[in-house]
Amino acid sequence: MDFAFDVISADQHDQLVALYEPLARAVRGLIDASIHTGVDEQTIRDAQSAIESVTQTLESTRHDGYRTLRVAESGRPVAWANAVIGVRNPIAPPLTIHHNADATRCWSEFSLGAPYEGPPGRVHGGVCALVLDHLLGEVASEGLTKPRFTGTISVKYLRATPLGELRAEAGIERVEGVKTFVRGFIADAEGITAEAEGVFIEPAWARDAG
């Protein structure tokens, strides 16, 4: 099973991001506001009606094609719906991922607020695992340009991860045939809160294509 993506230019990518990213950011703000709001009952009902009306407007024309595109110049996919980095996905934080020159390490500085809470004031453990799985996959796949998917991943929680400003890093430890071994962590200002190690596999169809 190979993945076929529509290819866009860097200029097209920038135009699409400029159009859709503010919408996702606005909905992201709406999600946060719906958690924190203390307005009266009638205001909530009015807001619900307005949201449902906007939703109906957006649903009036659906795009059911690929939700992932590829930028021609870089080869990197643009994952609109990705739960961690999706530009058009309001439930994504989203993370901006940076890579070193030889693509053996990546990192991101980001903030997680109330929509990602588990214990009071702390990030849900499953969200930590989600972020770590993505960071490990990012570096294993050379910035999502190579098909290498999660085979196994284990997460060790050293202490609760607080909501707020965080940093995540991941790096390749070694490559053995079709397996890439990766380690990573999440940290706050006081140090590492969770760490992970994983094995990422090049699928059979990619090996055959090579």
Side-chain angles (χ1 to χ4, degrees):
M1 179 186 65
D2 201 347
F3 294 100
F5 299 140
D6 286 345
V7 177
I8 58 175
S9 69
D11 285 344
Q12 288 174 311
H13 165 265
D14 292 345
Q15 291 168 4
L16 290 170
V17 169
L19 176 63
Y20 290 114
E21 194 278 334
L23 173 62
R25 185 171 63 244
V27 178
R28 196 172 294 121
L30 175 63
I31 292 170
D32 190 77
S34 70
I35 294 171
H36 288 106
T37 188
V39 298
D40 61 83
E41 179 179 348
Q42 187 57 52
T43 302
I44 289 176
R45 296 191 184 282
D46 290 344
Q48 176 187 343
S49 178
I51 292 166
E52 289 172 347
S53 176
V54 171
T55 299
Q56 186 174 15
T57 298
L58 293 175
E59 284 279 3
S60 64
T61 302
R62 291 182 61 92
H63 171 64
D64 292 321
Y66 293 122
R67 288 185 294 274
T68 300
L69 305 173
R70 189 177 296 282
V71 180
E73 288 84 350
S74 67
R76 181 177 171 84
V78 183
W80 295 129
N82 186 282
V84 179
I85 61 170
V87 174
R88 292 179 64 172
N89 187 349
I91 70 168
L95 273 63
T96 299
I97 313 294
H98 307 278
H99 293 262
N100 65 353
D102 61 1
T104 59
R105 192 156 197 86
C106 70
W107 64 92
S108 180
E109 294 181 348
F110 55 98
S111 180
L112 295 178
Y116 307 99
E117 187 175 69
R122 301 292 185 264
V123 180
H124 193 293
V127 174
C128 292
L130 174 71
V131 169
L132 285 166
D133 180 59
H134 186 88
L135 262 289
L136 269 61
E138 272 268 352
V139 73
S141 64
E142 300 179 28
L144 304 183
T145 62
K146 306 292 184 182
R148 292 167 189 156
F149 304 127
T150 309
T152 60
I153 185 171
S154 61
V155 180
K156 183 178 181 180
Y157 298 92
L158 305 182
R159 58 186 173 88
T161 301
L163 295 173
E165 300 298 320
L166 300 167
R167 179 182 176 91
E169 295 186 25
I172 294 175
E173 288 206 313
R174 67 186 188 278
V175 178
E176 296 179 359
V178 299
K179 298 181 179 180
T180 301
F181 295 79
V182 189
R183 281 183 176 272
F185 65 84
I186 295 175
D188 64 0
E190 297 179 4
I192 295 174
T193 63
E195 56 189 18
E197 58 182 15
V199 181
F200 289 75
I201 312 295
E202 182 181 23
W205 57 262
R207 301 171 219 164
D208 295 341

